[in-house]
Amino acid sequence: MMKSTVYSSYSTGDQYTNSVTAMENLSLSSTATSSSAIQVGSNFDLLSEILSYLPVKSLLVFKSVSKQWLSLISNPHFAISHLNRHPIFKIHGLFFEKCSNPQLEYVYDFLLLDGSRIEEEEVINNRSSTSAGGGGGYALFKSLNFGNYQPGYNGPVIENGVRITQSCNGLLCCTRETEISNDNYQPHIYTTHTYIYNPTTRKYRILPPSPFRDVVRDDCCYKVCSISLAFDPIQSPDYQVVCIWKDIAKLWCLEAVDGEFHNYYYIEIYSSKTNSWKKLVSSSVNPFYALPNSFTKSGVYWNGCLHWIATEDDIEHESSMYFDIAQELVKPLPLPTTPDDDESNAVYFGECGGHLYLIEVLASCHTDYNILKMETDYSGWKLMYKLDLVRFITAYPGYDTYAFDRTRMLYRMVLLLEEDEEDSLSNLVVLVDGKKVISYNLKEMNITEIHTFTEGNVYSLARTGGLWGYLHHYIESLACV
């Protein structure tokens, strides 16, 4: 079926095959003079059509064939055409955030789901973002540096390193915070620098300062609580960034005794189309009330909305909510019903195949994992699978426990869900004990070890923050930033 679709634009299948072969010859030898190569190279429309069927990895290599190919593959319109040929956002790898070093610089492990791991270190800077080829292959990064700043302490000024906050359909939302203390060594000014980065093409955009919170005033101290990227390239090549923040100046005012004040948040939205921020003016959302720790991480983008779910035992369901970007409204997010005499433990919350999924396990039966899907009208969660993972747990025994601060520690954390060609869930990718990355086939119920970290790179499994905040998916994309 796929071949008939591909060949429909040409007279025969052999012509398509010969054209692809000609392109490969061009990429291997600059002196290729075959008639097929010349024909393809001189027909811009035919060349664009053929290239749109190729995988991203091949296109990155073909950028070096000529200036014409580089210009074509880098064109935003070609990125849209390519996406129409490959509409599935397949996750190819994972970014694991490691502990920051004394210079406040964040570093990452990058792991492909085929088990290979990037060893070389590459720091992304202005030169690589403007290089002719834009990079290629899987030479990504272990640390980020957008600009000419130096992480570390400089008197009252603290420059933190760039940190990935969210992955969304091929783009990464990254932030860096500058903190200035006053005479009492209390944070007086926070400035959050935001970047949108495509790790496939190694291009990035520095977002302009906010006219609402990146200001210096004696009576205000604006602290960003959550920055989230909303990007659906199937709908539009443009994206939005939603920032949720609060004014914490009164935290240091003796007169501020009203605790409710600290539970009010503001929302502003950045548009890549206008390259500007806007602060919502609706009285129902600016400011709006939410319980503490509602926005400890970026939201999960799905269905045109950003979603946050309660992750602490002492937080009520009201902490779970979603923001409808089109309507500019904050709404409550329903949670699954749990028996009164039991406790549920969420081990995954994310988007897969155009659906919002939640995986939970009940404390009364730690071998049963429930996979639930949110209804598109937000009427509630639908149970899709009830998995008995006794075989998996027997192979990798362990236990979940409470740390002294009541933080839930998870021995097994689901990193992602995978779908097969029939658009049904096929695999769970699980991190065991912070070291082993395992794939569990939901249909065959067999286990495959993807990778084991042996160099002391043990990753936190804390339910509060944990890998929900410090693990990010890598999706190949030609999207322009």
Side-chain angles (χ1 to χ4, degrees):
M1 182 64 68
M2 178 59 72
K3 289 185 178 180
S4 64
T5 302
V6 172
Y7 296 157
S8 62
S9 300
Y10 317 107
S11 57
T12 65
D14 290 338
Q15 181 179 353
Y16 175 83
T17 303
N18 292 337
S19 298
V20 173
T21 302
M23 288 193 304
E24 292 174 345
N25 291 336
L26 277 173
S27 66
L28 295 174
S29 173
S30 60
T31 61
T33 58
S34 67
S35 59
S36 296
I38 295 174
Q39 178 184 4
V40 172
S42 61
N43 190 326
F44 188 85
D45 292 335
L46 176 61
L47 177 63
S48 177
E49 180 75 9
I50 295 175
L51 287 176
S52 68
Y53 285 97
L54 298 182
V56 171
K57 189 174 182 180
S58 298
L59 293 174
L60 295 178
V61 176
F62 288 161
K63 277 186 173 183
S64 61
V65 170
S66 67
K67 291 183 178 180
Q68 180 195 32
W69 285 37
L70 170 62
S71 175
L72 189 155
I73 297 172
S74 303
N75 191 293
H77 296 291
F78 176 80
I80 297 174
S81 175
H82 183 270
L83 180 65
N84 291 331
R85 302 282 189 267
H86 310 268
I88 304 301
F89 301 123
K90 181 177 176 56
I91 298 172
H92 293 85
L94 302 169
F95 293 102
F96 292 85
E97 181 182 302
K98 302 169 69 174
C99 294
S100 59
N101 60 27
Q103 284 72 44
L104 304 177
E105 186 175 18
Y106 297 97
V107 293
Y108 295 86
D109 263 322
F110 176 70
L111 178 68
L112 287 172
L113 292 181
D114 63 6
S116 57
R117 183 181 174 201
I118 301 302
E119 298 293 346
E120 67 269 24
E121 179 169 347
E122 179 173 344
V123 177
I124 304 301
N125 52 39
N126 285 324
R127 288 178 298 174
S128 66
S129 71
T130 57
S131 60
Y138 286 109
L140 298 172
F141 61 85
K142 285 190 175 181
S143 60
L144 291 168
N145 188 345
F146 301 120
N148 297 317
Y149 77 97
Q150 184 65 39
Y153 299 88
N154 183 16
V157 180
I158 301 175
E159 293 283 6
N160 293 280
V162 176
R163 187 178 195 179
I164 303 173
T165 60
Q166 183 200 13
S167 172
C168 185
N169 294 330
L171 299 182
L172 298 180
C173 181
C174 306
T175 59
R176 178 177 66 84
E177 193 169 81
T178 299
E179 184 178 319
I180 302 177
S181 301
N182 58 19
D183 295 337
N184 297 323
Y185 299 100
Q186 293 175 333
H188 184 56
I189 298 173
Y190 289 100
T191 301
T192 300
H193 313 271
T194 308
Y195 315 88
I196 303 301
Y197 174 57
N198 185 332
T200 303
T201 62
R202 284 187 274 173
K203 303 291 185 179
Y204 68 87
R205 174 185 289 199
I206 302 176
L207 270 58
S210 164
F212 311 107
R213 51 185 163 81
D214 292 333
V215 295
V216 179
R217 287 174 49 189
D218 293 336
D219 59 341
C220 291
C221 183
Y222 302 114
K223 176 66 175 177
V224 171
C225 303
S226 175
I227 287 187
S228 306
L229 176 62
F231 177 52
D232 185 354
I234 294 178
Q235 300 295 327
S236 171
D238 301 313
Y239 54 83
Q240 295 170 295
V241 177
V242 176
C243 178
I244 299 178
W245 51 273
K246 62 168 59 177
D247 180 2
I248 61 173
K250 292 185 179 180
L251 285 174
W252 303 294
C253 295
L254 296 178
E255 296 81 4
V257 295
D258 182 10
E260 293 296 306
F261 170 82
H262 307 304
N263 295 332
Y264 283 94
Y265 299 82
Y266 295 84
I267 296 180
E268 61 179 306
I269 303 176
Y270 168 85
S271 168
S272 64
K273 190 173 184 178
T274 62
N275 192 34
S276 62
W277 293 91
K278 74 169 184 177
K279 185 178 178 182
L280 302 192
V281 297
S282 171
S283 59
S284 62
V285 293
N286 261 0
F288 70 97
Y289 179 85
L291 293 178
N293 299 318
S294 296
F295 305 105
T296 56
K297 298 175 286 297
S298 295
V300 174
Y301 182 66
W302 171 74
N303 200 29
C305 305
L306 288 161
H307 306 76
W308 294 264
I309 194 169
T311 58
E312 293 188 15
D313 298 322
D314 58 349
I315 296 297
E316 300 295 333
H317 284 192
E318 286 79 4
S319 291
S320 297
M321 61 191 66
Y322 67 100
F323 176 61
D324 189 315
I325 299 175
Q327 298 185 27
E328 299 184 348
L329 292 175
V330 178
K331 305 177 182 180
L333 179 69
L335 287 181
T337 303
T338 303
D340 294 336
D341 58 347
D342 210 338
E343 178 186 343
S344 65
N345 186 18
V347 295
Y348 177 84
F349 178 61
E351 183 272 344
C352 178
H355 306 287
L356 185 66
Y357 284 101
L358 174 67
I359 302 180
E360 66 172 7
V361 58
L362 297 179
S364 59
C365 188
H366 70 283
T367 63
D368 286 348
Y369 279 51
N370 297 329
I371 300 182
L372 305 106
K373 181 174 71 174
M374 174 59 73
E375 301 286 4
T376 55
D377 61 357
Y378 293 94
S379 58
W381 294 90
K382 180 181 179 180
L383 179 63
M384 304 300 296
Y385 295 86
K386 195 172 184 65
L387 304 174
D388 186 354
L389 298 186
V390 62
R391 180 179 179 184
F392 181 87
I393 294 174
T394 301
Y396 300 96
Y399 59 92
D400 297 337
T401 183
Y402 283 104
F404 67 91
D405 61 352
R406 295 283 295 172
T407 298
R408 172 72 82 178
M409 303 301 293
L410 300 175
Y411 187 81
R412 289 167 289 268
M413 172 70 80
V414 179
L415 304 180
L416 63 95
L417 298 174
E418 290 186 303
E419 292 186 334
D420 57 21
E421 295 179 353
E422 300 176 353
D423 295 331
S424 61
L425 294 176
S426 58
N427 291 284
L428 293 178
V429 177
V430 185
L431 183 69
V432 177
D433 196 25
K435 299 178 182 178
K436 292 182 178 292
V437 181
I438 311 295
S439 176
Y440 182 79
N441 189 291
L442 300 177
K443 297 180 178 179
E444 304 296 332
M445 293 186 293
N446 54 25
I447 301 169
T448 303
E449 291 195 9
I450 297 177
H451 184 78
T452 299
F453 294 103
T454 59
E455 302 87 352
N457 297 325
V458 180
Y459 296 92
S460 169
L461 292 174
R463 183 180 178 187
T464 306
L467 284 175
W468 285 351
Y470 309 127
L471 175 129
H472 306 280
H473 299 155
Y474 169 64
I475 298 173
E476 290 182 344
S477 172
L478 295 175
C480 299
V481 295

